[in-house]
């Protein structure tokens, strides 16, 4: 509640400042709306500089870019250079709503249904987003919105549609933006080609900015601008310094973000398979691990014994239909040894337990019995565990979080004590804001850019009346689906992902 009060109070402070500067820019004492005809000359100058671009080629490029995030697929370039593909948002929106409704009708909780939706979450500083992220998001919003509107103006002038004014607006930070106001009569009389160029240009430049930010992120990672910033002293690294690389036990990995650091620590501990990661580290007692750290322009190394990167073989939880639970192993037990199928596995860490479990699959078969030695409280128990099968292989009943994880359950540093670098935060928000603006504006919901483009096309084909009916139907259906996904995102508390950003 305190954060909400601060959020509202800070907005009215800004309103007061703007009111002192220009009374006409404040509307109903809660909104800012300011426009100027004088700024149009800057849009004209920008258009003249880029007038050499052929209009036909420009139209094809912007339409392809317009379609990428919503109707086709958007490439996502990770800091390590790997390229992932994000499905078109329209497909995710509709299929997410369908899956969520099925879950709710099946008796699932709102949180579970929300996890199957498109994950639409409102970004409200101080409420769904930590305040310390606001400066980075603000820079991204200004750049994204200004270039979005500038490209609208550029396309309008290229197709001989006059621009009347340029302005900005904002309501409680959340609904903020800039606008270029073309002459309404000229825009209505323009060809479908001209309207398409004008409407698609804003989304196209946001897609370009998002992709450019990804590539800059890769270059920054290569230059060592990313990493995991320590909020407390740990692993002999002072608070404020950052880890940028891990070496040891066959690993030689760069560190890009706090989550990346935690994941690689757990790979080092031998727990990668529980995270769905196939990479493994070949460690044994007495091995050394080197953390490469950076403090401003100074780079240094910290070498530690591998024992600093192990976890206890304590069971946190188990699937109740797995071999271990059916054989009598319970959460809280500490596994000491596994014996059977002609082999003995001494267990001293969570990584060794997981390694033993994986190796038994190569020498045992379903129905075999192995002895599992566990310490329960102060008592050593020997349990006869019959190996059961699921999915064509031996199933022990271990899952994500079944064993203690470094950075969450054990270790000298916790995930919430690690932070992104300023460079990483800015790149993150440049990607999120530009992708978000592109997706929102390209949706065929009137009066968004996508909705206006749909109207221009269908009204030309079907006439103004029938075309208007089609646009209205599509708008109401998609708006309802969007609101449903948004409500699930709020009620299912998906915004906690945003709150965890550091």
């Amino acid at each position: 509640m305190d954060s909400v009060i601060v959020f509202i109070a800070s907005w009215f402070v800004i309103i007061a400042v703007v009111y002192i500067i220009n009374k006409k820019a404040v509307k109903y004492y809660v909104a800012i709306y300011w426009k100027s005809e004088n700024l149009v000359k800057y849009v004209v100058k920008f258009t003249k500089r880029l007038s050499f671009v052929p209009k036909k080629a420009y139209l094809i490029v912007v339409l392809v870019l317009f379609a990428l995030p919503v109707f086709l697929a958007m490439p996502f370039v990770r800091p390590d250079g790997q390229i992932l593909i994000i499905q078109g948002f329209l497909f995710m929106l509709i299929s997410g709503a369908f899956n969520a409704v099925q879950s709710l009708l099946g008796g699932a909780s709102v949180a579970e249904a929300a996890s199957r939706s498109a994950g639409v979450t409102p970004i409200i500083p101080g409420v769904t987003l930590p305040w310390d992220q606001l400066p980075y998001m603000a820079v991204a919003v200004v750049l994204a919105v200004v270039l979005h509107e500038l490209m609208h103006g550029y396309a309008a002038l290229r197709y001989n549609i006059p621009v009347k004014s340029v302005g900005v607006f904002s309501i409680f930070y959340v609904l903020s933006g800039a606008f270029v106001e073309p002459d309404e009569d000229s825009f209505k009389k323009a060809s479908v080609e001209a309207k398409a160029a004008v409407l698609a240009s804003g989304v196209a430049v946001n897609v370009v900015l998002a992709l450019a930010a990804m590539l800059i992120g890769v270059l920054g990672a290569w230059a060592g601008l990313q990493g995991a910033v320590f909020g407390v002293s740990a692993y002999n690294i002072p608070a404020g310094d950052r880890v940028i690389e891990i070496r040891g036990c066959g690993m030689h990995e760069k560190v890009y973000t706090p989550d990346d650091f935690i994941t690689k620590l757990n790979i080092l501990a031998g727990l990668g398979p529980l995270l769905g990661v196939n990479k493994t580290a070949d460690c044994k007692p007495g091995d050394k691990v080197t953390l490469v750290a950076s403090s401003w322009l100074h780079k240094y190394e910290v070498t530690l014994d591998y024992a600093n990167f192990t976890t206890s073989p304590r069971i946190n939880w188990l699937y109740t239909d797995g071999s271990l639970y059916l054989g009598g192993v319970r959460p809280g037990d500490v596994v000491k040894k596994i014996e059977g199928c002609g082999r003995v596995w001494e267990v001293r860490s969570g990584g060794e337990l997981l390694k033993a479990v994986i190796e038994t699959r190569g020498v045992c078969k379903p129905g075999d019995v192995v002895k599992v030695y566990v310490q329960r409280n102060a008592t050593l128990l020997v349990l006869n565990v019959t190996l059961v099968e699921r999915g064509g292989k031996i199933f022990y009943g271990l899952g994500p979080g079944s064993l203690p994880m470094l950075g969450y359950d054990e270790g000298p540093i916790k995930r919430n004590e690690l932070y992104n670098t300023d460079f990483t935060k800015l790149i993150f928000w440049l990607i999120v804001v530009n992708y978000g603006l592109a997706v929102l504006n390209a949706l065929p919901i009137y009066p968004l850019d996508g909705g206006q483009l749909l109207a221009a096309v269908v009204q030309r084909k079907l006439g103004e009346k029938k075309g208007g009916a089609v646009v209205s139907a599509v708008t109401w259906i998609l708006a309802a689906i969007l609101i449903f996904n948004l409500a699930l995102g709020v009620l299912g508390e998906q915004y906690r992902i945003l709150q965890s950003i550091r």
Side-chain angles (χ1 to χ4, degrees):
M1 183 60 69
D2 290 342
S3 61
V4 176
I5 294 173
V6 172
F7 174 79
I8 295 173
S10 66
W11 173 251
F12 282 108
V13 169
I14 292 177
I15 286 287
V17 172
V18 174
Y19 187 82
I20 292 171
I21 297 172
N22 184 353
K23 293 181 180 180
K24 293 182 179 179
V26 176
K27 306 296 181 183
Y28 307 108
Y29 302 101
V30 295
I32 296 171
Y33 181 85
W34 174 79
K35 66 178 182 178
S36 170
E37 290 78 16
N38 294 329
L39 292 178
V40 173
K41 61 184 179 183
Y42 296 104
V43 180
V44 173
K45 288 182 179 180
F46 176 77
T47 303
K48 287 180 179 178
R49 287 180 178 273
L50 294 181
S51 59
F52 64 88
V53 179
K55 288 197 295 185
K56 289 289 185 182
Y58 177 79
L59 178 62
I60 293 171
V61 171
V62 295
L63 286 177
V64 171
L65 291 171
F66 177 90
L68 276 181
V70 171
F71 304 99
L72 301 176
M74 179 86 170
F76 178 79
V77 185
R78 291 173 26 144
D80 58 5
Q82 293 186 44
I83 300 176
L84 306 177
I85 300 298
I86 303 175
Q87 288 181 312
F89 185 73
L90 190 61
F91 171 80
M92 289 193 292
L93 189 69
I94 295 173
S95 62
F98 178 78
N99 292 334
V101 168
Q102 275 193 320
S103 298
L104 290 172
L105 293 176
S109 64
V110 172
E112 185 179 345
S115 69
R116 300 183 182 182
S117 69
V120 181
T121 303
I123 299 177
I124 307 174
V127 181
T128 64
L129 182 73
W131 279 108
D132 62 354
Q133 297 295 311
L134 184 57
Y136 308 97
M137 189 183 78
V139 171
V141 168
V142 169
L143 183 62
V145 170
V146 168
L147 288 180
H148 179 103
E149 296 302 330
L150 184 61
M151 293 309 297
H152 278 319
Y154 165 81
L157 292 175
R158 284 299 307 275
Y159 283 87
N160 300 316
I161 301 172
V163 173
K164 294 167 59 178
S165 64
V166 176
V168 296
F169 66 91
S170 185
I171 303 175
F172 286 101
Y173 303 114
V174 184
L175 299 175
S176 301
F179 60 87
V180 171
E181 183 183 14
D183 181 75
E184 190 174 342
D185 290 336
S186 299
F187 183 76
K188 285 182 178 179
K189 295 175 182 177
S191 65
V192 172
E193 178 183 324
K195 290 179 180 178
V198 173
L199 294 168
S201 291
V203 170
V205 76
N206 288 137
V207 172
V208 170
L209 286 172
L211 293 173
M214 294 176 199
L215 295 178
I216 293 171
V218 172
L219 293 175
W222 175 80
L225 298 178
Q226 300 197 355
V229 181
F230 279 36
V232 297
S233 296
Y235 292 123
N236 294 336
I237 296 174
D241 288 3
R242 57 194 173 93
V243 171
I244 58 177
E245 196 173 327
I246 300 176
R247 296 200 299 259
C249 303
M251 283 184 66
H252 192 158
E253 297 279 347
K254 286 188 175 182
V255 173
Y256 303 107
T257 64
D259 288 323
D260 185 45
F261 178 60
I262 292 297
T263 297
K264 285 168 181 173
L265 282 186
N266 283 290
I267 292 173
L268 194 63
L271 301 173
L274 291 183
L275 298 171
V277 179
N278 291 326
K279 291 182 180 179
T280 58
D282 185 19
C283 293
K284 57 184 181 295
D287 283 351
K288 302 296 181 182
V289 174
T290 298
L291 301 179
V292 181
S294 176
S295 174
W296 292 98
L297 299 177
H298 172 58
K299 187 186 292 187
Y300 60 94
E301 296 182 356
V302 175
T303 300
L304 302 166
D305 190 272
Y306 170 62
N308 290 279
F309 304 94
T310 58
T311 61
S312 67
R314 184 186 71 250
I315 301 296
N316 286 339
W317 70 273
L318 293 166
Y319 287 106
T320 56
D321 59 345
S323 303
L324 292 176
Y325 190 90
L326 294 174
V329 180
R330 293 294 180 264
D333 289 352
V334 178
V335 180
K336 295 293 186 179
K337 184 169 64 173
I338 298 178
E339 183 180 307
C341 305
R343 294 279 302 275
V344 176
W345 292 269
E346 297 289 343
V347 176
R348 294 174 292 270
S349 68
E352 288 187 347
L353 171 57
L354 194 57
K355 183 179 180 181
V357 163
I358 293 172
E359 288 182 356
T360 57
R361 290 174 176 163
V363 296
C364 300
K365 60 183 183 297
D368 286 347
V369 177
V370 297
K371 293 183 182 296
V372 178
Y373 295 73
V374 302
Q375 182 176 316
R376 182 175 299 169
N377 298 322
T379 305
L380 183 67
L381 303 176
V382 181
L383 304 172
N384 291 316
V385 174
T386 301
L387 301 178
V388 300
E389 179 184 9
R390 194 171 87 171
K393 61 182 180 181
I394 294 170
F395 180 57
Y396 278 87
L398 295 171
S402 287
L403 301 175
M405 309 292 284
L406 286 173
Y408 297 104
D409 309 295
E410 295 185 1
I413 194 166
K414 303 297 182 186
R415 170 59 184 87
N416 59 8
E417 295 170 336
L418 295 168
Y419 300 84
N420 283 296
T421 64
D422 292 329
F423 173 81
T424 303
K425 292 174 186 176
L426 181 57
I427 292 297
F428 172 82
W429 283 110
L430 283 171
I431 295 171
V432 169
V433 168
N434 280 285
Y435 174 74
L437 278 177
V439 162
L440 181 63
N441 280 285
L443 285 173
I445 298 175
Y446 197 88
L448 299 175
D449 293 339
Q452 292 190 58
L453 183 54
L454 175 65
V457 173
V458 298
Q459 287 179 353
R460 180 185 179 182
K461 297 291 184 181
L462 303 177
E464 188 170 344
K465 187 174 181 180
K466 290 183 179 179
V470 171
V471 172
S472 294
V474 172
T475 293
W476 283 107
I477 292 171
L478 289 182
I481 294 174
L482 182 63
I483 292 171
F484 173 72
N485 277 272
L486 181 62
L488 279 179
V490 174
L491 297 176
E493 298 186 340
Q494 286 185 313
Y495 56 81
R496 294 198 179 280
I497 297 174
L498 288 175
Q499 290 177 332
S500 67
I501 296 173
R502 293 180 178 274

